[in-house]
């Protein structure tokens, strides 16, 4: 017999099941590893979760009285979505939520971040609520709790009721902010008996500029800088009104905060001068949303830079916008700016990226694990924030189901391992990061990229709706079980 061992045989001998769980190699080492990691792991009680959003997973866009959203309309415009797909079916999560909750449980996740579709609750955005609108979320929340999973609710993840766009111009108008406040009050009143954490709006930084400036996302407008700044201001106002609505109408003790893709600034080299410069840059680059929310004013530099394009606002607006929040949610995927100290201007310079800077399977998803260390650390320092939660982090991958039916997404594991190690560095230094939500539970409708970009821990076959755990699901399960990033 040949002494040569094929790779597959070797894998068998070594007990390396593709899922990487039942391996004798692993179980033999499990104990000392776990013990070693405990010492240098995440703090006890660290919240481990996954995240999705309504339009990206629910489907069922015409069921139970849901009204149309701007994404229903936008995905109908030829050429807007890379593969011509839309969210009509997506993951059919509206019908398959029980199975999907089992998937969350199998990861060992104790928290799940989902969003409520505003047009399910108020089909026109304002006016009469749809009596069946909250049924789905009531069932979802009850099922999560029955499985020992804490629901974390996002009020707005981009599916604006189309009627608000048609009648008021969407986020161009303060009418939309008022409608959002009423919707937030309605949801808070009915769901905060069971939901204790509410995110207001997801990523003003993305949906305002891409929706109203570049026109890449819904509603696809290309407005002037002044109008974009006004829409951004309105989104901050909507956030503030929602915070107030949750306080006034939610059960006492309900925690509320934003979930923002903070413009990520990082010292290029760790020197005291660069760290100071990166902090200034982080504050200034986020002045138009997180800054005004956390400081109650726009910075002088922002107003000077915006000049005649600065948003119009009242002192009352600023008071509402800066209603105290309980936590800061940060979506952190990639470094946006490497910063060095400068004796020009505000004291910082943003470096250009070399063409060869590495990225993951989405061009924008540059690989910079230290982002998730520096940004929470600097943000906590600048704004004296309370708890910080990483409300999203994860990566797309060109995941393929192998002939053995498995998905060996070692690239995603590489990305996650490095980011989580840096997050652990932050918590071990006392940066107040209290939890982490991995984007995403499963592959889903990735906006303008359609179904082409896969971010899930579970692979989804969109023809059959079969979900298959990727190797990264085993990786994440191990992170959660050991409460440590692993080496
Ligand atoms: C976030 N960028 O979007 C969203 O909150 C999710 O809905 C989305 O699926 C996820 O990240 C993955 O893309 C972003 O270009 C989209 O920097 C693009 C960027 C950032 C966030």
């Amino acid at each position: 017999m040949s002494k040569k061992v094929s790779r597959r045989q070797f894998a068998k001998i070594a007990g390396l099941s593709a899922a990487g769980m039942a391996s004798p190699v692993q179980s033999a080492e499990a104990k000392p590893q776990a013990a070693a990691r405990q010492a240098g792991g995440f703090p006890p009680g660290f919240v481990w979760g996954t995240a999705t959003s309504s339009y990206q997973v629910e489907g069922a866009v015409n069921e139970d009285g849901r009204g149309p959203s701007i994404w229903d309309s936008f995905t109908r415009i030829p050429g807007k979505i890379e593969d011509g797909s839309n969210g009509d079916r997506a993951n059919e999560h509206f019908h398959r939520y029980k199975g999907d909750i089992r998937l969350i449980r199998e990861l060992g996740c104790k928290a799940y971040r989902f969003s409520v579709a505003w047009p399910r609750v108020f089909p026109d955005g304002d006016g009469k609520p749809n009596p069946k609108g909250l049924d789905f979320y009531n069932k979802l929340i009850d099922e999560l709790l029955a499985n020992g999973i804490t629901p974390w609710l996002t009020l707005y993840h981009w599916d604006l009721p189309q009627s608000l766009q048609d009648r008021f111009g969407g986020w161009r108008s303060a009418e939309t902010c008022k409608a959002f406040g009423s919707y937030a009050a309605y949801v808070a009143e009915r769901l905060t008996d069971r939901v204790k954490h509410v995110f207001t709006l997801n990523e003003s930084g993305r949906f305002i500029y891409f929706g109203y400036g570049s026109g890449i996302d819904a509603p696809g407008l290309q407005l002037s800088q002044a109008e974009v700044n006004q829409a951004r201001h309105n989104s901050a106002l909507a956030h503030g009104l929602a915070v107030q609505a949750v306080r006034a109408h939610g059960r006492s003790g309900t925690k509320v905060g934003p979930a923002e893709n903070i413009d990520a600034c990082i010292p290029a080299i760790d020197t005291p001068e660069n760290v100071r410069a990166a902090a200034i840059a982080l504050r200034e680059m986020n002045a138009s949303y997180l800054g005004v929310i956390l400081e109650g004013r726009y910075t002088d530099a922002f107003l000077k830079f915006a000049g005649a394009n600065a948003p119009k606002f009242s002192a009352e607006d600023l008071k509402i916008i800066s209603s105290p929040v309980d936590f800061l949610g940060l979506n952190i995927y990639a470094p946006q700016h490497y910063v060095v100290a400068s004796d020009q201007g505000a004291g910082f310079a943003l470096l250009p990226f070399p063409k060869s800077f590495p990225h993951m399977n989405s061009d924008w998803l540059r690989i910079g694990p230290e982002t998730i260390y520096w940004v929470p650390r600097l943000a906590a320092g600048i704004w004296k924030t309370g708890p910080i939660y990483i409300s999203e982090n994860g990566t797309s991958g060109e995941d393929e189901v192998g002939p053995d039916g498995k998905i060996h997404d070692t690239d995603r594991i590489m990305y996650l391992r490095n980011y989580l190690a840096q997050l652990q560095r932050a918590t071990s230094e006392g940066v107040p990061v209290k939890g982490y939500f991995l984007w995403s539970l499963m592959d889903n409708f990735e906006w303008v990229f359609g179904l082409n970009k896969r971010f899930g821990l579970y692979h989804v076959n969109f023809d059959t709706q079969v979900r298959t755990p990727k190797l990264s699901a085993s990786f994440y399960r191990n992170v959660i079980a050991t409460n440590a990033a692993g080496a």
Side-chain angles (χ1 to χ4, degrees), residues 53 56 157-158 202-203 206 210 261 331 333 336 364 392 439 444 446-447 455:
S53 87
Q56 293 181 274
H157 203 123
W158 309 356
N202 182 71
E203 296 197 353
R206 169 88 195 187
F210 282 76
N261 57 330
N331 293 0
Y333 287 90
Q336 252 102 23
W364 59 271
E392 287 180 26
W439 186 275
N444 55 48
E446 177 59 12
W447 308 112
F455 276 82

Side-chain angles (χ1 to χ4, degrees), residues 94-322:
F94 190 77
H95 294 293
R96 298 172 183 271
Y97 70 94
K98 285 193 178 169
D100 291 338
I101 288 173
R102 273 201 299 280
L103 303 182
I104 304 170
R105 201 180 62 185
E106 278 163 23
L107 295 170
C109 276
K110 292 284 188 296
Y112 175 56
R113 175 176 175 231
F114 65 95
S115 78
V116 172
W118 184 354
R120 286 198 191 281
V121 186
F122 287 90
D124 295 323
D126 57 6
K128 258 180 65 164
N130 166 29
K132 294 189 92 176
L134 280 183
D135 283 3
F136 171 65
Y137 302 103
N138 273 311
K139 288 188 292 186
L140 180 78
I141 290 164
D142 289 343
E143 184 73 13
L144 285 166
L145 292 172
N147 281 278
I149 302 162
T150 310
W152 291 59
L153 182 153
T154 305
L155 285 165
Y156 183 74
H157 203 123
W158 309 356
D159 41 1
L160 185 78
Q162 180 65 43
S163 174
L164 295 176
Q165 194 65 48
D166 295 342
R167 285 181 292 142
F168 306 128
W171 293 112
R172 298 174 75 176
S173 164
E175 291 299 321
T176 297
C177 307
K178 270 197 245 161
F180 185 66
S182 307
Y183 153 68
Y186 184 89
V187 171
E189 203 161 293
R190 286 160 182 81
L191 300 185
T192 55
D193 56 335
R194 287 153 293 154
V195 174
K196 302 301 173 201
H197 295 87
V198 176
F199 294 105
T200 55
L201 300 110
N202 182 71
E203 296 197 353
S204 165
R206 169 88 195 187
F207 77 79
I208 292 296
Y209 180 69
F210 282 76
Y212 294 81
S214 70
I216 288 173
D217 286 354
L221 302 177
Q222 290 180 305
L223 305 179
S224 67
Q225 192 56 48
E227 290 170 299
V228 171
N229 286 345
Q230 194 63 48
R232 171 69 49 77
H233 175 79
N234 290 341
S235 71
L237 183 61
H239 156 86
L241 288 168
V243 172
Q244 296 192 344
V246 171
R247 301 257 185 265
H249 297 270
R251 297 291 170 98
S252 77
T254 308
K255 308 256 189 266
V256 59
E260 187 58 8
N261 57 330
I262 185 169
D263 202 38
C265 300
I266 298 146
I269 301 166
D270 184 353
T271 64
E273 296 75 28
N274 286 344
V275 173
R276 209 172 313 120
I280 300 168
L282 190 71
R283 178 167 174 256
E284 292 300 348
M285 298 304 286
N286 291 284
S288 68
Y289 189 74
L290 281 183
V292 70
I293 287 173
L294 298 170
E295 298 180 32
R297 57 184 290 267
Y298 289 110
T299 63
D300 297 338
F302 169 76
L303 291 175
K304 193 168 161 221
F305 179 78
N309 293 330
K312 312 252 174 299
F313 57 89
S314 66
E316 178 62 15
D317 282 3
L318 296 182
K319 251 172 77 186
I320 296 168
I321 290 172
S322 59

Side-chain angles (χ1 to χ4, degrees), residues 16 45 61 68 74 90 139 165 276 298 344 349 412 422 442 468 470:
L16 299 168
V61 290
F74 188 71
K139 288 188 292 186
Q165 194 65 48
R276 209 172 313 120
Y298 289 110
Q344 309 277 302
R412 180 172 288 101
Q422 290 285 334
M442 52 186 167
T468 309
K470 302 176 190 175

